[in-house]
Amino acid sequence: MKIGMVGLGRMGGNMTVRLLRKGHEVVVFDPSDDARIRAGEAGAKPAASLEELVSSLDPPRTVWIMVPAGPITDQTLDRLGGLMPEGDLIIDGGNSNWKESIAHGEQLQTKGVALLDCGTSGGIWGLENGYCLMVGGRREMFDRAEPVFRALAPPGGYAYVGRSGAGHFVKMVHYGIEYGLLTSYG
């Protein structure tokens, strides 16, 4: 599958490498020249802008974003929503607030662009071990993107968890349990 990846920090960069290792074609964008160069050296196709990234993908396009929650996610989704035509898909793999993910999904749907919110766990170890992925949104979009989830996750490490917002909601619950356990251990 050919996919776009926006955000090449520790997780986005490693996810790109994992996708490449599993045989996917990845077009990447990050504001950092160094991050784009590193991804290019790993085998990805660097794009100098979001416009170039979108035009480098064949319809129906799938673009995964791994950017910090909040204003950067809002801006990235807004820009991509203006660039991508009806039938395209955006996957938000960051730790966005689940309520905002519902609003983002509704806003993008008015333009005919689908959104999957994907709680992503695995940190820097995900490159070798895989990422646990909790995906919310329209089921038919999950099914379309499933080869990507399969490549990123270890066996049995991803799940469709329900409608829009559910992926980031499950990730929030995951964090609550994880940090509660860590606190009790300490």
Side-chain angles (χ1 to χ4, degrees), residues 2-186:
K2 191 170 186 182
I3 184 169
M5 179 68 74
V6 176
L8 300 172
R10 292 174 115 185
M11 285 184 69
N14 282 347
M15 292 170 83
T16 296
V17 171
R18 188 167 172 93
L19 286 167
L20 290 166
R21 287 180 181 173
K22 300 285 184 168
H24 295 275
E25 294 179 68
V26 187
V27 180
V28 297
F29 172 74
D30 190 282
S32 163
D33 292 337
D34 290 339
R36 290 193 312 272
I37 290 167
R38 278 192 307 276
E41 289 169 349
K45 179 186 177 194
S49 65
L50 289 176
E51 291 82 3
E52 184 181 334
L53 178 133
V54 170
S55 68
S56 297
L57 299 170
D58 301 322
R61 296 163 191 84
T62 299
V63 174
W64 189 302
I65 67 168
M66 286 301 290
V67 299
I72 295 173
T73 294
D74 298 341
Q75 293 164 10
T76 303
L77 290 173
D78 188 52
R79 286 199 52 217
L80 285 171
L83 296 170
M84 298 173 75
E86 187 173 337
D88 284 359
L89 168 64
I90 301 171
I91 302 169
D92 177 5
N95 289 321
S96 297
N97 179 300
W98 65 275
K99 292 178 184 177
E100 292 173 4
S101 296
I102 293 171
H104 290 145
E106 290 171 352
Q107 177 187 6
L108 288 166
Q109 194 57 48
T110 64
K111 300 173 183 186
V113 177
L115 176 72
L116 293 176
D117 55 285
C118 181
T120 305
S121 183
I124 58 172
W125 303 278
L127 174 60
E128 297 304 325
N129 300 324
Y131 300 89
C132 180
L133 305 171
M134 302 143 265
V135 187
R138 291 180 18 220
R139 179 65 196 229
E140 66 272 16
M141 292 295 125
F142 170 85
D143 292 341
R144 188 171 100 192
E146 192 167 15
V148 172
F149 303 132
R150 192 177 306 113
L152 289 171
Y158 69 94
Y160 175 75
V161 296
R163 64 183 188 203
S164 185
H168 286 146
F169 181 85
V170 172
K171 175 64 177 179
M172 177 188 69
V173 172
H174 167 275
Y175 270 147
I177 293 167
E178 177 181 13
Y179 290 118
L181 283 170
L182 291 172
T183 301
S184 67
Y185 290 155

